[in-house]
Amino acid sequence: MDAHLIMDAHLLKKENILKVNILAPFIKRYRYKKSLNVLSEQTRALIPSSILFASGKALLIKNPKSATTSLAESIFWWETGRHFKGENIHGDRSLKQGIHNYPRLVEGMLDESCLKVTVVRDPLSRCVSGFKNFVLAQNNISAKRHIPFLKKLGLVESSDASKSYDIFLDYIQLCKELSVERMDPHFRPQIYNLRPDLVKYGFIGRVEHLGADIKKLEMRLGLKSINQNLQQQEQIKANPSRVKFEPSQQQRIRTNDLFSEDYNWLKSLFPGEYEPKD
Protein backbone atom coordinates (compact mmCIF):
# COMPACT_ATOMS: atom_id res chain seq x y z
CA MET A 1 0.00 0.00 0.00
CA ASP A 2 1.36 3.40 -1.03
CA ALA A 3 1.44 5.59 2.09
CA HIS A 4 1.33 8.70 -0.09
CA LEU A 5 -2.09 7.60 -1.35
CA ILE A 6 -3.48 8.05 2.16
CA MET A 7 -1.62 11.33 2.56
CA ASP A 8 -3.10 12.73 -0.64
CA ALA A 9 -6.60 11.29 -0.49
CA HIS A 10 -7.41 10.82 3.16
CA LEU A 11 -5.60 12.96 5.73
CA LEU A 12 -7.15 16.31 6.55
CA LYS A 13 -6.11 19.09 4.18
CA LYS A 14 -4.34 22.19 5.39
CA GLU A 15 -6.12 25.48 4.83
CA ASN A 16 -4.78 27.42 1.84
CA ILE A 17 -4.07 30.75 3.57
CA LEU A 18 -3.23 32.55 0.31
CA LYS A 19 -6.56 31.50 -1.18
CA VAL A 20 -8.39 32.63 1.95
CA ASN A 21 -6.76 36.08 1.88
CA ILE A 22 -7.46 36.57 -1.84
CA LEU A 23 -11.13 35.59 -1.62
CA ALA A 24 -11.96 37.20 1.75
CA PRO A 25 -12.97 40.61 0.25
CA PHE A 26 -15.47 38.91 -2.06
CA ILE A 27 -16.88 35.85 -0.28
CA LYS A 28 -18.29 35.91 3.24
CA ARG A 29 -17.17 32.42 4.27
CA TYR A 30 -13.59 33.35 3.46
CA ARG A 31 -13.89 36.51 5.55
CA TYR A 32 -14.86 34.28 8.46
CA LYS A 33 -11.89 32.01 7.74
CA LYS A 34 -9.55 34.99 7.54
CA SER A 35 -10.44 35.87 11.15
CA LEU A 36 -8.42 32.79 12.16
CA ASN A 37 -5.19 34.33 10.87
CA VAL A 38 -4.46 36.04 14.21
CA LEU A 39 -3.91 32.59 15.75
CA SER A 40 -1.01 30.21 15.30
CA GLU A 41 -1.53 27.39 12.83
CA GLN A 42 -1.91 24.83 15.62
CA THR A 43 -4.37 26.94 17.65
CA ARG A 44 -6.29 27.90 14.51
CA ALA A 45 -7.12 24.23 13.98
CA LEU A 46 -9.08 24.16 17.28
CA ILE A 47 -11.64 26.79 16.26
CA PRO A 48 -13.81 24.63 13.95
CA SER A 49 -14.39 22.23 16.86
CA SER A 50 -15.23 24.88 19.48
CA ILE A 51 -18.43 26.23 21.04
CA LEU A 52 -18.65 29.56 22.87
CA PHE A 53 -21.25 29.54 25.65
CA ALA A 54 -22.34 31.00 28.98
CA SER A 55 -22.55 34.53 27.52
CA GLY A 56 -19.00 34.28 26.26
CA LYS A 57 -17.60 33.18 29.62
CA ALA A 58 -16.60 29.70 28.43
CA LEU A 59 -15.26 28.00 25.32
CA LEU A 60 -15.65 24.26 24.77
CA ILE A 61 -12.97 22.62 22.65
CA LYS A 62 -14.35 19.31 21.47
CA ASN A 63 -12.45 16.05 21.78
CA PRO A 64 -14.15 13.51 19.46
CA LYS A 65 -15.05 10.11 20.95
CA SER A 66 -15.13 11.74 24.39
CA ALA A 67 -18.80 12.55 24.98
CA THR A 68 -18.68 15.69 22.83
CA THR A 69 -22.29 15.20 21.72
CA SER A 70 -23.43 14.91 25.33
CA LEU A 71 -21.62 18.08 26.35
CA ALA A 72 -22.80 19.98 23.26
CA GLU A 73 -26.39 19.02 24.07
CA SER A 74 -25.83 20.14 27.64
CA ILE A 75 -24.69 23.51 26.28
CA PHE A 76 -27.84 23.65 24.16
CA TRP A 77 -29.89 23.18 27.34
CA TRP A 78 -27.94 25.87 29.18
CA GLU A 79 -28.25 28.30 26.27
CA THR A 80 -31.90 27.71 25.32
CA GLY A 81 -33.58 25.97 28.26
CA ARG A 82 -34.79 23.30 25.82
CA HIS A 83 -33.87 19.72 24.99
CA PHE A 84 -32.14 19.34 21.65
CA LYS A 85 -34.51 17.63 19.18
CA GLY A 86 -32.51 17.88 15.96
CA GLU A 87 -30.36 15.30 14.22
CA ASN A 88 -26.90 16.86 14.57
CA ILE A 89 -26.06 19.13 17.48
CA HIS A 90 -22.63 19.86 15.99
CA GLY A 91 -24.24 21.69 13.07
CA ASP A 92 -26.96 23.47 15.03
CA ARG A 93 -27.04 27.23 14.37
CA SER A 94 -28.54 28.00 17.79
CA LEU A 95 -25.10 27.55 19.32
CA LYS A 96 -22.08 29.77 18.79
CA GLN A 97 -20.16 27.28 16.69
CA GLY A 98 -19.25 26.80 13.05
CA ILE A 99 -17.77 29.04 10.40
CA HIS A 100 -20.22 31.94 10.88
CA ASN A 101 -19.05 32.27 14.47
CA TYR A 102 -15.31 32.10 13.81
CA PRO A 103 -14.69 35.76 14.79
CA ARG A 104 -16.42 35.28 18.17
CA LEU A 105 -14.72 31.94 18.74
CA VAL A 106 -11.35 33.55 18.08
CA GLU A 107 -12.17 36.28 20.60
CA GLY A 108 -13.03 33.61 23.17
CA MET A 109 -9.80 31.76 22.47
CA LEU A 110 -7.75 34.94 22.94
CA ASP A 111 -9.66 36.12 26.03
CA GLU A 112 -7.77 34.90 29.09
CA SER A 113 -10.87 35.37 31.24
CA CYS A 114 -12.86 32.97 29.03
CA LEU A 115 -12.84 29.52 30.66
CA LYS A 116 -11.42 26.89 28.30
CA VAL A 117 -13.36 23.64 28.73
CA THR A 118 -12.91 20.11 27.38
CA VAL A 119 -13.52 16.44 28.23
CA VAL A 120 -11.00 13.59 28.12
CA ARG A 121 -11.34 9.81 28.12
CA ASP A 122 -9.26 6.74 28.90
CA PRO A 123 -7.25 6.26 25.66
CA LEU A 124 -7.86 2.50 25.39
CA SER A 125 -11.61 2.91 25.90
CA ARG A 126 -11.66 5.75 23.38
CA CYS A 127 -9.78 3.72 20.77
CA VAL A 128 -12.02 0.66 21.20
CA SER A 129 -15.10 2.89 20.98
CA GLY A 130 -13.82 4.36 17.72
CA PHE A 131 -13.17 0.87 16.36
CA LYS A 132 -16.68 -0.32 17.21
CA ASN A 133 -18.20 2.88 15.83
CA PHE A 134 -16.24 3.14 12.58
CA VAL A 135 -15.34 -0.45 11.73
CA LEU A 136 -17.74 -2.92 13.33
CA ALA A 137 -21.00 -0.95 13.31
CA GLN A 138 -19.93 1.62 10.68
CA ASN A 139 -22.64 3.91 12.08
CA ASN A 140 -20.58 7.10 12.08
CA ILE A 141 -21.12 9.47 9.18
CA SER A 142 -17.36 9.53 8.55
CA ALA A 143 -16.96 5.74 8.42
CA LYS A 144 -17.31 5.59 4.64
CA ARG A 145 -14.19 7.79 4.32
CA HIS A 146 -12.08 5.30 6.22
CA ILE A 147 -13.35 1.90 5.08
CA PRO A 148 -11.73 1.99 1.59
CA PHE A 149 -8.31 2.64 3.14
CA LEU A 150 -8.83 0.01 5.83
CA LYS A 151 -9.68 -2.46 3.08
CA LYS A 152 -6.38 -1.66 1.40
CA LEU A 153 -4.72 -2.72 4.65
CA GLY A 154 -6.59 -6.05 4.59
CA LEU A 155 -9.98 -5.42 6.17
CA VAL A 156 -12.64 -7.76 4.77
CA GLU A 157 -16.27 -8.31 5.71
CA SER A 158 -15.60 -11.86 6.90
CA SER A 159 -12.72 -10.89 9.22
CA ASP A 160 -13.32 -11.60 12.89
CA ALA A 161 -13.35 -8.59 15.20
CA SER A 162 -9.91 -9.29 16.64
CA LYS A 163 -8.22 -9.36 13.24
CA SER A 164 -10.12 -6.21 12.22
CA TYR A 165 -8.89 -4.43 15.36
CA ASP A 166 -5.29 -5.28 14.44
CA ILE A 167 -5.88 -3.70 11.03
CA PHE A 168 -7.46 -0.66 12.69
CA LEU A 169 -4.34 -0.24 14.83
CA ASP A 170 -2.18 -0.58 11.70
CA TYR A 171 -4.23 2.22 10.18
CA ILE A 172 -3.79 4.49 13.21
CA GLN A 173 -0.05 3.83 13.27
CA LEU A 174 0.30 4.64 9.56
CA CYS A 175 -1.69 7.87 9.91
CA LYS A 176 0.45 8.90 12.88
CA GLU A 177 3.63 8.26 10.92
CA LEU A 178 2.39 10.33 7.98
CA SER A 179 1.05 13.34 9.90
CA VAL A 180 -0.44 13.17 13.38
CA GLU A 181 -1.75 16.75 13.10
CA ARG A 182 -3.71 15.84 9.95
CA MET A 183 -5.29 12.66 11.29
CA ASP A 184 -9.01 12.31 11.74
CA PRO A 185 -9.56 13.69 15.28
CA HIS A 186 -11.69 10.65 16.15
CA PHE A 187 -8.53 8.52 16.05
CA ARG A 188 -5.86 11.11 16.77
CA PRO A 189 -4.33 11.18 20.26
CA GLN A 190 -6.27 13.56 22.47
CA ILE A 191 -3.24 15.68 23.26
CA TYR A 192 -3.16 16.73 19.57
CA ASN A 193 -6.91 17.35 19.51
CA LEU A 194 -6.70 19.68 22.50
CA ARG A 195 -3.17 21.13 22.41
CA PRO A 196 -2.73 21.71 26.17
CA ASP A 197 0.72 23.06 25.31
CA LEU A 198 -1.02 26.02 23.64
CA VAL A 199 -4.33 26.33 25.49
CA LYS A 200 -4.65 26.94 29.22
CA TYR A 201 -7.62 24.80 30.23
CA GLY A 202 -9.55 25.88 33.28
CA PHE A 203 -11.90 22.88 33.33
CA ILE A 204 -11.17 19.35 32.09
CA GLY A 205 -13.98 16.87 32.58
CA ARG A 206 -13.75 13.11 32.27
CA VAL A 207 -16.07 10.77 30.40
CA GLU A 208 -15.78 8.37 33.31
CA HIS A 209 -17.27 11.02 35.65
CA LEU A 210 -19.39 12.90 33.10
CA GLY A 211 -22.53 13.49 35.15
CA ALA A 212 -20.66 14.79 38.18
CA ASP A 213 -18.35 16.93 36.08
CA ILE A 214 -21.26 18.52 34.22
CA LYS A 215 -22.71 19.48 37.61
CA LYS A 216 -19.38 21.00 38.65
CA LEU A 217 -19.27 23.04 35.46
CA GLU A 218 -22.81 24.27 36.07
CA MET A 219 -21.89 25.47 39.53
CA ARG A 220 -18.67 27.10 38.38
CA LEU A 221 -20.38 29.11 35.63
CA GLY A 222 -23.71 29.67 37.41
CA LEU A 223 -25.65 27.76 34.74
CA LYS A 224 -29.20 26.48 34.93
CA SER A 225 -29.08 22.88 36.16
CA ILE A 226 -29.91 20.20 33.62
CA ASN A 227 -33.05 18.35 34.64
CA GLN A 228 -32.81 14.74 35.77
CA ASN A 229 -34.24 13.18 32.60
CA LEU A 230 -31.73 14.98 30.41
CA GLN A 231 -28.92 14.07 32.79
CA GLN A 232 -29.83 10.40 32.40
CA GLN A 233 -29.81 10.80 28.62
CA GLU A 234 -26.35 12.39 28.83
CA GLN A 235 -24.96 9.43 30.73
CA ILE A 236 -26.40 6.97 28.21
CA LYS A 237 -25.03 8.91 25.25
CA ALA A 238 -21.56 8.92 26.74
CA ASN A 239 -21.16 5.37 25.38
CA PRO A 240 -23.99 4.60 22.92
CA SER A 241 -22.36 1.63 21.16
CA ARG A 242 -24.05 -1.73 21.69
CA VAL A 243 -21.43 -3.66 19.68
CA LYS A 244 -19.40 -6.02 21.87
CA PHE A 245 -15.61 -6.26 21.59
CA GLU A 246 -12.77 -6.68 24.06
CA PRO A 247 -9.14 -6.42 22.87
CA SER A 248 -6.63 -9.08 23.82
CA GLN A 249 -3.76 -8.36 26.22
CA GLN A 250 -1.35 -7.97 23.29
CA GLN A 251 -3.77 -5.57 21.57
CA ARG A 252 -4.16 -3.55 24.76
CA ILE A 253 -0.39 -3.21 25.05
CA ARG A 254 -0.10 -2.06 21.44
CA THR A 255 -2.98 0.42 21.87
CA ASN A 256 -1.36 1.80 25.02
CA ASP A 257 1.86 2.31 23.07
CA LEU A 258 0.11 4.09 20.20
CA PHE A 259 -1.51 6.48 22.68
CA SER A 260 1.39 6.81 25.10
CA GLU A 261 1.35 10.63 24.73
CA ASP A 262 -2.20 10.67 26.04
CA TYR A 263 -1.47 8.39 28.97
CA ASN A 264 1.54 10.47 30.01
CA TRP A 265 -0.51 13.68 29.86
CA LEU A 266 -3.60 12.30 31.60
CA LYS A 267 -1.59 10.66 34.38
CA SER A 268 -0.07 14.06 35.14
CA LEU A 269 -3.53 15.66 35.27
CA PHE A 270 -5.33 12.96 37.24
CA PRO A 271 -2.77 10.88 39.19
CA GLY A 272 -3.88 7.30 39.68
CA GLU A 273 -6.89 7.54 37.32
CA TYR A 274 -5.45 6.86 33.87
CA GLU A 275 -3.03 3.96 33.91
CA PRO A 276 -2.42 1.75 30.85
CA LYS A 277 -4.25 -1.58 31.17
CA ASP A 278 -2.08 -4.59 30.30
Side-chain angles (χ1 to χ4, degrees), residues 184-251:
D184 186 315
H186 292 87
F187 312 137
R188 185 168 53 198
Q190 297 168 79
I191 197 168
Y192 294 102
N193 283 346
L194 303 175
R195 297 308 301 253
D197 55 327
L198 302 173
V199 178
K200 184 177 180 180
Y201 288 95
F203 187 93
I204 298 180
R206 297 149 295 172
V207 168
E208 298 81 9
H209 305 277
L210 185 62
D213 284 343
I214 285 176
K215 290 296 183 184
K216 290 177 183 177
L217 188 59
E218 287 176 339
M219 294 179 64
R220 181 160 179 177
L221 292 170
L223 300 168
K224 179 181 178 182
S225 181
I226 298 172
N227 68 27
Q228 185 175 2
N229 289 336
L230 183 59
Q231 191 69 45
Q232 291 171 351
Q233 293 173 22
E234 299 295 327
Q235 293 169 351
I236 291 171
K237 287 181 180 180
N239 187 14
S241 177
R242 298 294 181 263
V243 180
K244 302 298 182 182
F245 172 75
E246 289 293 334
S248 68
Q249 181 182 22
Q250 185 175 0
Q251 288 170 331

Side-chain angles (χ1 to χ4, degrees), residues 51-86:
I51 304 176
L52 190 68
F53 66 105
S55 301
K57 292 188 296 185
L59 182 75
L60 168 68
I61 299 174
K62 300 175 187 177
N63 180 25
K65 299 308 299 175
S66 300
T68 55
T69 295
S70 294
L71 195 47
E73 292 189 3
S74 297
I75 291 173
F76 185 89
W77 168 267
W78 294 327
E79 298 289 282
T80 69
R82 295 180 287 110
H83 294 204
F84 179 72
K85 300 294 185 181

Side-chain angles (χ1 to χ4, degrees), residues 23 51 71-72 78 159 164 179 218 247 251 262 273:
L23 295 179
I51 304 176
L71 195 47
W78 294 327
S159 295
S164 296
S179 176
E218 287 176 339
Q251 288 170 331
D262 281 350
E273 289 200 34

